Amino acid sequence: MEDWSDCLDVAVQIARRAGQVVQSAVKQEKRVSSKSTPTDLVTEADHQVEELIISTLREKYPSHRFIGEESSAAGVKCELTDAPTWIIDPIDGTCNFVHSFPMVAVSIGFAVRKELELGVIYHCFDGTLYTARKGHGAFCNGVRLQVSKEKDVSKALILTEIGAKRDPATLDIFSGNMKKLLSAPTHGVRIIGSSTLALCHIASGAAEAYYQYGLHCWDIAAAAVIIREAGGYVIDTTGGPLDLMSRRVVAAGTREIADYMVKQLQPINYGRDDTDPDGLA
Ligand code: IPD
C-alpha cells in the first residue's frame, strides 16, 4: 500500500516555489479579467502559477491526472476518477491578490480512488505552510495542528466566504444565514477572502466553524485533509458526507457545532463542478 509521502514532499516544494512566484507578482502590475461573474477574477499570475505547478507535477508523475482552477475555467473537464489526481488552486484569494490584501494561498490537494490523501496550503504573504497526509496528522510549519474542541455555538467564531453570485435573491439568503448565526448568538462571523486559508483557521483551532455555498473542489481538497487530520469534521451542508464537486461545505472542530450549522443554513444553489462548469445554475 502506497503511503504517498514522496508526493507530500514534492507538493511542499512546489507550493513554496509557486508561493514565491505569487509573492513577486503581488508587487507588479496585474492584468485582471473576470470569469463566471464580474466578481470572479483571474489574472495572468493565476495561469502562470497553475502552469508551473501542473507541469512540474506532470514531469514527476506522468500517469497522474490534474484538476486545476484555471484549466477548468478554460474548458478542461473537471473529473475525479479513481486515478491519482492532483487538485490545484494556484492562487486562492485572487481578489485579495489583485488588491494586495494579505490573504492569498497556493493550495494543492491529492486524491486516490476518490479519497483525499494529502493537502498542502502555502500562505503567500507570510510563508505559513499547512500540510497533512491521511493518517499522519496535520501541521503548520511543522507544529501539529488541533481543532477547537468547543461544542457550544454561543462561544463559537464562524468563518464564511461570499461566493461569486451576487444577485439579490442569493444575497438575501446569504444575509439571512449570517443573521441567524450572528443572532444565535455566536461570538462573530468573519470573511477573509480566501476559502483555503479560512479552512486552515478551522484546522488550527482559531475558529470553530466554516460554511460556504459556491466554493470549488480546489478550494476544499487540500484543506479537508488538513482539518480532518487536525481532528475536525468536513461535511456536506445537508449533514451527509462531503461531496467534493457539490460546491458547498460545512467544516467544524466538533460534530456538535457542525450539526448546529447544518440545521441553521438555508442553501444557495450553485451548479456542480463536474457537470456544470459555468456553475451558476
Ligand atoms: C475564491 C476565494 C473566495 C471564495 C470563492 C473561491 P479564488 O477562490 O477563496 O474567497 O468566496 O468561493 O472560489 O477564485 O480566489 O481562487
Side-chain angles (χ1 to χ4, degrees):
M1 177 120 166
E2 289 206 63
D3 73 359
W4 308 113
S5 60
D6 63 321
C7 290
L8 179 63
D9 295 344
V10 169
V12 165
Q13 279 171 28
I14 296 173
R16 284 190 196 278
R17 243 175 80 200
Q20 276 151 21
V21 174
V22 177
Q23 268 161 20
S24 54
V26 165
K27 296 173 199 130
Q28 286 153 28
E29 202 178 316
K30 293 139 193 146
R31 279 223 241 138
V32 186
S33 41
S34 57
K35 298 186 284 185
S36 63
T37 68
T39 57
D40 184 10
L41 305 182
V42 62
T43 68
E44 275 180 346
D46 292 73
H47 292 290
Q48 192 193 338
V49 175
E50 182 161 318
E51 167 61 24
L52 168 75
I53 297 171
I54 294 184
S55 60
T56 314
L57 285 170
R58 187 169 274 138
E59 201 174 309
K60 187 103 187 123
Y61 304 110
S63 65
H64 290 187
R65 295 173 62 104
F66 298 90
I67 294 174
E69 174 170 17
E70 306 317 333
S71 328
S72 300
V76 175
K77 199 167 174 351
C78 182
E79 191 182 24
L80 188 61
T81 66
D82 282 347
T85 303
W86 295 91
I87 305 166
I88 296 149
D89 192 340
I91 301 185
D92 179 51
T94 300
C95 181
N96 287 347
F97 170 76
V98 166
H99 292 269
S100 304
F101 185 81
M103 290 288 168
V104 176
V106 173
S107 179
I108 304 178
F110 180 65
V112 183
R113 285 178 284 280
K114 302 191 181 79
E115 288 290 319
L116 293 165
E117 292 288 342
L118 64 87
V120 173
I121 295 175
Y122 182 77
H123 188 317
C124 302
F125 277 77
D126 69 12
T128 308
L129 180 75
Y130 298 89
T131 57
R133 185 157 60 91
K134 197 165 117 192
H136 293 82
F139 299 86
C140 175
N141 292 341
V143 177
R144 191 137 193 169
L145 289 170
Q146 171 64 58
V147 293
S148 162
K149 296 220 168 67
E150 184 59 63
K151 294 179 180 168
D152 179 354
V153 79
S154 72
K155 294 182 183 142
L157 184 61
I158 313 285
L159 307 180
T160 189
E161 290 295 324
I162 304 169
K165 267 195 200 180
R166 305 287 167 85
D167 60 279
T170 298
L171 290 178
D172 280 349
I173 304 176
F174 180 82
S175 342
N177 283 337
M178 273 252 194
K179 191 172 167 191
K180 266 196 215 163
L181 293 168
L182 286 168
S183 57
T186 54
H187 276 178
V189 179
R190 304 276 183 273
I191 298 173
I192 63 169
S194 160
S195 305
T196 61
L197 289 177
L199 287 160
C200 286
H201 290 313
I202 304 304
S204 72
E208 277 66 35
Y210 180 87
Y211 71 97
Q212 194 190 343
Y213 295 96
L215 76 179
H216 294 273
C217 56
W218 44 82
D219 296 313
I220 317 173
V225 188
I226 296 170
I227 293 173
R228 287 173 178 152
E229 286 300 315
Y233 296 82
V234 184
I235 60 174
D236 188 67
T237 50
T238 59
L242 173 70
D243 174 348
L244 201 57
M245 297 292 162
S246 69
R247 302 196 61 189
R248 55 194 198 204
V249 74
V250 163
T254 59
R255 188 72 215 199
E256 288 79 356
I257 292 203
D259 288 344
Y260 178 87
M261 302 292 293
V262 163
K263 279 194 211 114
Q264 299 305 309
L265 295 173
Q266 191 186 336
I268 297 170
N269 292 322
Y270 279 86
R272 294 176 59 82
D273 274 333
D274 49 0
T275 54
D276 178 15
D278 291 339
L280 296 174

